[in-house]
Amino acid sequence: MVKFSKELEAQLIPEWKDAFVNYWQLKKHVKRIKLSRQQPHLNHDFPRSVFDSIRSISTKLLLFRSGSNGADDGQIIKVRSKSMEVASDDEVVLYQTELLQLFSEEDEVRPFFERLDEELNKVNQFYKSKESEFLERGETLNKQLQILKDLKQILDGDRRRSSDILSRSSPTYDSDFSEGTPGLHDSSPEISETDEVIAALERNGVKFMNSTAAAGASGAKKKNAGKPKVAMRIDIPATTPTRTISAVTSMLWEDLINNPTKQDPAAGSFISRKKMQCAEKMIRTAFVELYRGLELLKTYSSLNMVAFTKILKKFDKVSKQQASASYLKAVKRSHFISSDKVVRLMDEVECIFTKHFANNDRKRAMKFLRPQQQKDSHMVTFFSGVFVSLFGIYIIMAHLSGIFSPTTETAYMETVYPVFSVFALFSLHLFLYGCNLLMWKNTRINYNFIFEFAPNTALKYRDAFLICTTLMTSVVGALVIHLLLSAAAFSPTHVDTIPGILLLGFITLLVCPFDIFYRPTRYCFLRIIRNIICSPLYKVLMVDFFMADQLTSQIPLLRHLESTACNFLAGSFKTHQYSTCKNGQLYRQLVYVISFSPYYWRAMQCARRWFDESDLNHLANMGKYVSAMVAAGARLTYATQSNSLWFGVVLVTSIVATVYQLYWDFVKDWGLLNPNSRNPWLRDDLILKKKSIYFISIALNVVLRVAWIESIMRFRINPVQTHLLDFFLASLEVIRRGHWNFYRLENEHLNNVGKFRAVKTVPLPFRETESD
């Protein structure tokens, strides 16, 4: 049977951990009471002290005066509540326990109830604060939804009126419009209907610049007739290139089209259906996050109630008293149990979401509000066994066929090595990501919330391992087939196309539109890559710059893709003239572009974040990637121009970039090296229990960061060993990145815990502006 402490640790909300009942500290108090009962008392055969006797008499008098509320009920404790006013004119109820009966272990019992009162007050205050926050968010969302409905009604009315005018002005109905008055008379009911909606919006605080209600006089009404202009901004986040460009020119554009002196009201309207769709999507997402927060708060309440019940039962068992019933009555009367506002708001959100966002289909609505997680896959072991077997067969066949002999090494290394390296490095990175997922899960790091992944489609560690092993099994199988066909004297022109076909098959599967092989994950990956390549036009999210950091460690993979594509386009697989790509001027220039691109994308993301957040740390972070770009360019030039001048340039730029990167890794990304923290030279809060692991990780990161020394020392003997050494160094960089990922997300998680952020804050579309 699992202990409740472990069950509580597994179920509590990580970001709210400090706000939960400190069950483990209360257990320590109970243990002290148990130890004090087991110790022999010095005056066991003598009566209690005079002070204890006096206290006993006074307690009996207190019970006698309290009548049925005391002695008749057999209470041994009394929980009092008192209200206190806080600065926000809100009442805070504090609980305090009095002992109505003497305990032989009173020195331990009293601190237990004092700590229990502190925990109850803490839980109540936190629950009340979160409840008021979610209730306020619910009221705001209701207003936003009402504004959305009214604006859509105005927009639909304008479209109907425009279609009516167009139909009446068609050639078929020219005779009906010999006089203009009937057309104007027919549209008046629609105008009055729109005016009613405008009046309702104005009562809700939405101001219109040229509405009939604001115009007052009939002359102004005729002058300003038409589509109303709202003195309210529709804030659509600049998350796409189109919205980004629009945001840059929005101030000038709105000054032009929102000028109230314009005579054409239709030109002045900026309420469009596209903006309405974006606003509706934002409000829908906000409702989903609100519902998730309410579920978390409901879980918080139930877990804490169980914790109080369990610890009081332990106290009763140890002290041989029955104090739990009296205290649990007070707990059940407290706000976090007695309040039903969260449950009622959850029901209201379900009804609203079902009606307005799911076409009254409750089953569809609950797929959004309560998404079901995918089942774990158990095919990893099978594919792991197949991969190990095939890889062993490949090693034996490669040794027997002598593919690394001087006569065949060039052709084989140029055709097979680049493609195999691409899949091997990608699979290694994916395997380390699966290890990270497993570690994050075991340490209760909420990576789905940090990355904003949907819980029903997010990859689990078993899924990552399955993809990795399946991919490598396919690759090694293709290598074995390649060797078998080569040994069977098939045409090298056809055999050497197998690696390229394998790569094309992988790319086809990646963009496959059918719902097979983790389509949500594949499309999410492609969407993130698109956001990275188009930086800084897309708004930068956590998952975007996290993936961009991964790409900076996969530059060798990108260069192998370049060489493979060049060999295919140049027809080198048929002619076996691989010098065409290596000696080409365009190829050598593309090497610089490929090496610079990940650092450039990451630097542009930092620039975009500085533009959005006005935080100078992002500019400093951009400087780190610029220095890495300079160091990478110097090393590439030194590879072709080996002289003392470029050796010095490489040494200086690489040292500067490495020191810059190490400082940012430890201080900014990991939050370590703080000499004034509770854990010297680490940080105040640590998830891993052993501090030595952090120091070992620091040393390991330093060693792997200086692997660039090999590029200037040039430990090479022959082309085969050169390729193997390059692959080994590229693998070390991937391993360093996988090691870096855990501590980066640990620091991000602790920042969320410090601010009790467990639910995403969704920006809302409608906000009022000052009207001219």
Side-chain angles (χ1 to χ4, degrees), residues 18 22 41 101 120 132 146 154 182 200 270 295 319 387 391 427 432 480 555 571-572 634 656 666 671 695 720 729 733:
D18 293 339
N22 196 336
H41 296 282
Q101 181 175 323
L120 178 58
S132 60
Q146 186 62 40
I154 293 176
F270 60 96
E295 276 193 322
S319 64
F387 164 70
F391 191 72
S427 299
L432 293 173
V480 171
I555 293 177
S572 300
V656 171
F666 300 144
F695 292 106
V720 175
L729 294 175
E733 173 59 21

Side-chain angles (χ1 to χ4, degrees), residues 750-766:
L750 291 175
N751 290 334
N752 290 334
V753 170
K755 300 177 182 178
F756 297 104
R757 290 188 302 194
V759 182
K760 182 175 67 173
T761 302
V762 180
L764 298 177
F766 304 117

